Amino acid sequence: MTEHPPRRLPNVLITGTPGTGKTTHANQLFEALQATQSEDDEVKWEHINVGDEFVKNRGCHSGFNEEWQSWDVDEDKLLDELELVQVPGGKILDWHTCDIFPERWIDLVVVLRCDHALLWSRLEKRAYPLAKIQENNTAEIMEVVLMDARESYAEEIVVELKSESPEEVEENVARIVAWVEAWRKDHS
Ligand code: ADP
């Protein structure tokens, strides 16, 4: 394994069942963190939407699965592609899968949670196939992503946050920004 210098900014993973609000949070967090940067900062914040954009743009898949309306992800290729990208830090990784990344890549794991009936209506608006809505709904009830996160990362870096209203998005983003500031002080 190549040794790299310490990260200048933390890598933040935003995860949760599809529809819990990962991309909404990641977009707002990116804007808020970008506003704290100056032109001269060597490492810039970047929002990486793993499942919809990165996987597609970098060809880390074996095709689009029409039934599930998502890419069939080639996890080895995805990890190879992300390996160098994550090195300087400042990455906001936005993906419903949280347990494939090496622990050493990630400084904070935010698991978004949402009432399952609310989640159902959000997924219906996306015109997801019924089987996909049902599977995601069950996964949210069974806390699958939260359990995966707790099994994959140190307890103290996993934070569970509710995402049911726009106010909660704002509060959550403010909380993560404060956490990032504290991380930067600790690592300066
Ligand atoms: P994900 O990235 O987890 O699949 P999105 O961020 O795309 O979820 O959100 C799914 C839908 O739910 C969007 O229409 C978004 O506006 C809405 N949404 C997400 N989080 C919230 C929230 N906390 N309050 C209100 N609406 C939300």
Side-chain angles (χ1 to χ4, degrees):
M1 190 170 53
T2 320
E3 283 293 323
H4 294 291
R7 285 193 270 284
R8 308 291 286 273
L9 293 174
N11 286 326
V12 178
L13 170 60
I14 305 207
T15 191
T17 310
T20 47
K22 297 179 294 295
T23 301
T24 305
H25 277 75
N27 282 332
Q28 289 196 27
L29 179 64
F30 173 69
E31 272 183 31
L33 289 171
Q34 216 184 15
T36 67
Q37 292 210 291
S38 73
E39 287 282 303
D40 320 324
D41 285 350
E42 273 175 47
V43 181
K44 302 273 194 288
W45 284 101
E46 188 183 355
H47 169 198
I48 300 183
N49 180 323
V50 178
D52 293 332
E53 291 167 13
F54 194 87
V55 158
K56 182 176 72 173
N57 295 342
R58 304 267 184 142
C60 309
H61 61 81
S62 54
F64 191 74
N65 187 322
E66 290 295 338
E67 189 188 345
W68 287 93
Q69 290 294 303
S70 61
W71 297 96
D72 285 328
V73 176
D74 176 341
E75 293 188 355
D76 290 336
K77 175 109 199 279
L78 173 63
L79 291 177
D80 284 349
E81 288 288 323
L82 276 173
E83 173 79 59
L84 277 180
V85 168
Q86 59 80 32
V87 165
K91 301 295 173 282
I92 303 168
L93 296 169
D94 156 7
W95 203 24
H96 59 85
T97 305
C98 65
D99 56 357
I100 72 161
F101 304 118
E103 240 186 304
R104 66 189 153 81
W105 287 9
I106 309 292
D107 299 291
L108 179 69
V109 182
V110 176
V111 184
L112 297 175
R113 302 300 311 280
C114 173
D115 168 75
H116 67 94
L118 184 54
L119 186 70
W120 189 286
S121 71
R122 285 184 191 169
L123 295 178
E124 256 180 349
K125 284 197 194 117
R126 276 184 177 171
Y128 270 8
L130 184 61
K132 189 169 173 175
I133 299 181
Q134 279 167 336
E135 188 185 279
N136 285 317
N137 202 257
T138 306
E140 185 58 15
I141 293 168
M142 305 291 285
E143 307 193 322
V144 172
V145 180
L146 182 63
M147 281 192 309
D148 286 348
R150 291 208 169 125
E151 276 167 22
S152 308
Y153 301 94
E155 195 186 334
E156 61 273 18
I157 74 158
V158 178
V159 190
E160 179 186 8
L161 296 176
K162 201 142 69 78
S163 166
E164 294 177 355
S165 67
E167 292 72 29
E168 280 172 353
V169 180
E170 269 182 41
E171 284 165 24
N172 294 341
V173 166
R175 202 168 147 180
I176 303 167
V177 169
W179 179 91
V180 167
E181 288 307 315
W183 187 96
R184 294 186 72 173
K185 277 201 190 107
D186 282 352
H187 294 80
S188 60

